[in-house]
Amino acid sequence: MKKLLSKYHRHYTFDLDKPKSLVVGYFSQQKEKKRSFLDKLTSVPIDFSEVSFANTDTIEINVRPSTFKPFRGNGKIRIELISGLDRIGTRLQAEIIPYYKSNIYGTYFIIFFFALLALLGLLISTNGLAILIPLLFSLLFLTIIHRLILKSRSQLKENLEDLVIELERKSNR
C-alpha cells in the first residue's frame, strides 16, 4: 500500500538568491513569533507553528485542516535546503506527501469493512447482488479517497509556491 501511495508524491526544486543560513533564520524567526488570533485565521502561505526542523538541512511542514480552515490540504511538505556552490544561493528540494498514516489506516479499514460486508452477504444469500453491492461501494469510497488525495496534493503545491514567493520577497528586502 505504501508503494502504491508513493505515486502521489511530487518533487519540486526552487532556487533562491539567499544564503541557507538566512532561510533557516527566517523559518526560526517566524516559528518563534507570537501569533494573534487574527494571524491564525489569515496565516498565509502557511502556519509556521506547523514547521519543524528534522535536522539542520531538512524542514518539515505538517499541514492539517483546522477548525477555522477545514478545507485545507492534508499532508506533509518536506524541504531539503542545499547551499549553492558560491554559498550565496540556496536550492530548495521539496517533496509533497499528500496524506498521513491515518489516511492509509482509513483505507485499510474501508477495504476490510466492505470485504466483511461482502462475506456476510455471501453467507446470508447466494445472490450475486449481495456481493456486488459492497464491492461497488468499496470502489466508490476508494475513488473518493483518490480524489481527496489529489485535491490535497494540489493545495499543498499552492502552499509551497506561496512559501517560495514569500521567501523570495523577504530576500529582496
Side-chain angles (χ1 to χ4, degrees), residues 45-60:
I46 60 166
D47 184 6
F48 282 93
S49 64
E50 299 171 334
V51 173
S52 64
F53 294 96
N55 57 35
T56 57
D57 295 337
T58 306
I59 297 170
E60 285 190 1

Side-chain angles (χ1 to χ4, degrees), residues 138-152:
S138 64
L139 209 80
L140 175 73
F141 278 109
L142 290 175
T143 304
I144 290 171
I145 288 172
H146 169 73
R147 298 294 299 162
L148 286 174
I149 289 176
L150 291 179
K151 178 180 170 266
S152 181

Side-chain angles (χ1 to χ4, degrees), residues 1 5 100-112:
M1 181 64 89
L5 287 176
Y100 283 107
K101 284 185 180 178
S102 59
N103 299 109
I104 296 171
Y105 297 142
T107 305
Y108 285 150
F109 175 75
I110 288 171
I111 291 170
F112 175 74

Side-chain angles (χ1 to χ4, degrees), residues 49-152:
S49 64
E50 299 171 334
V51 173
S52 64
F53 294 96
N55 57 35
T56 57
D57 295 337
T58 306
I59 297 170
E60 285 190 1
I61 305 168
N62 294 315
V63 181
R64 289 192 180 262
S66 64
T67 305
F68 299 116
K69 295 181 180 180
F71 302 111
R72 272 176 71 180
N74 184 24
K76 282 184 187 177
I77 301 173
R78 187 174 296 139
I79 302 172
E80 185 177 345
L81 304 172
I82 300 171
S83 292
L85 296 175
D86 52 3
R87 300 266 184 205
I88 294 174
T90 303
R91 176 167 278 183
L92 304 176
Q93 289 185 338
E95 178 183 17
I96 293 178
I97 305 168
Y99 58 86
Y100 283 107
K101 284 185 180 178
S102 59
N103 299 109
I104 296 171
Y105 297 142
T107 305
Y108 285 150
F109 175 75
I110 288 171
I111 291 170
F112 175 74
F113 178 72
F114 283 114
L116 192 65
L117 277 178
L119 182 65
L120 185 66
L122 186 61
L123 290 175
I124 292 173
S125 170
T126 58
N127 187 357
L129 198 58
I131 296 172
L132 187 64
I133 289 175
L135 291 178
L136 288 175
F137 276 113
S138 64
L139 209 80
L140 175 73
F141 278 109
L142 290 175
T143 304
I144 290 171
I145 288 172
H146 169 73
R147 298 294 299 162
L148 286 174
I149 289 176
L150 291 179
K151 178 180 170 266
S152 181

Side-chain angles (χ1 to χ4, degrees), residues 5-17:
L5 287 176
S6 69
K7 295 181 193 269
Y8 289 110
H9 295 203
R10 288 293 180 261
H11 298 273
Y12 299 98
T13 303
F14 301 98
D15 291 320
L16 295 176
D17 297 332

